[in-house]
Amino acid sequence: MARSTGTTWNWWDEGFSTPPKEVILVNPLTAYRVWGGFSRENGNLTRPGVCFSLERPSTRMQAEGLFSVMEYGNACRFVTEFLIRAGAMVYVGRVHPGDSFDNGLGVPGSQVFVPADQVARFVLRTAAARGLVDDLGSNVVVPRDDPGARRSS
């Protein structure tokens, strides 16, 4: 089954649970990016785009519950605020809960995917990165054999 939105990238591989909605922003949008480990603050330029969130988590466990990205090598150590300028074409939808989601983490959040060709023109970091509270305790999420093979996390 092809998972396409009519674009050159695969919505499933970018962490959406269902096809995202294409939106052209008429107003600027404040978005957040959780990163750490194999995931970088500005994303991975070899990926088809960068994932952001409408929610700003304050802890690592909250971030994992919202975005299910640790299994893809995102250690959820930091959160950075960004502004996505009006005119950007973005894709918005629910995050796929991952292969090893713990229901105790809550309901997965939403994500905003900005295609790579839009990032430089429309995305601006508006605040310094803030560390997320490490509330994982003895809980560990083991990344896949090839972290980052899927998802622009």
Side-chain angles (χ1 to χ4, degrees), residues 62-82:
Q62 184 183 22
E64 175 60 11
L66 289 168
F67 314 126
S68 303
V69 290
M70 288 185 181
E71 69 181 284
Y72 297 100
N74 185 332
C76 299
R77 292 282 184 190
F78 307 97
V79 62
T80 304
E81 182 178 298
F82 290 85

Side-chain angles (χ1 to χ4, degrees), residues 106-126:
V107 177
S110 296
Q111 75 177 4
V112 179
F113 178 83
V114 180
D117 65 348
Q118 302 275 304
V119 173
R121 281 182 45 207
F122 292 101
V123 178
L124 176 68
R125 187 179 76 172
T126 55

Side-chain angles (χ1 to χ4, degrees), residues 9-151:
W9 53 274
N10 182 318
W11 59 264
W12 179 263
D13 285 349
E14 300 312 320
F16 289 101
S17 61
T18 58
K21 180 178 178 183
E22 182 180 295
V23 177
I24 297 177
L25 298 178
V26 294
N27 295 305
L29 176 70
T30 298
Y32 306 93
R33 181 162 168 76
V34 169
W35 57 282
F38 292 105
S39 178
R40 299 290 174 239
E41 184 176 36
N42 294 316
N44 180 341
L45 299 178
T46 65
R47 301 292 304 157
V50 180
C51 293
F52 297 91
S53 171
L54 301 173
E55 296 98 352
R56 178 175 47 192
S58 56
T59 72
R60 293 181 71 206
M61 191 173 294
Q62 184 183 22
E64 175 60 11
L66 289 168
F67 314 126
S68 303
V69 290
M70 288 185 181
E71 69 181 284
Y72 297 100
N74 185 332
C76 299
R77 292 282 184 190
F78 307 97
V79 62
T80 304
E81 182 178 298
F82 290 85
L83 179 75
I84 305 173
R85 295 181 177 142
M89 180 183 61
V90 301
Y91 295 83
V92 181
R94 275 275 169 226
V95 172
H96 188 280
D99 295 336
S100 57
F101 186 74
D102 179 347
N103 287 331
L105 293 175
V107 177
S110 296
Q111 75 177 4
V112 179
F113 178 83
V114 180
D117 65 348
Q118 302 275 304
V119 173
R121 281 182 45 207
F122 292 101
V123 178
L124 176 68
R125 187 179 76 172
T126 55
R130 294 176 52 188
L132 293 172
V133 173
D134 190 354
D135 58 347
L136 290 176
S138 62
N139 296 304
V140 176
V141 179
V142 178
R144 295 169 167 262
D145 291 336
D146 184 12
R150 289 181 46 199
R151 294 200 179 193

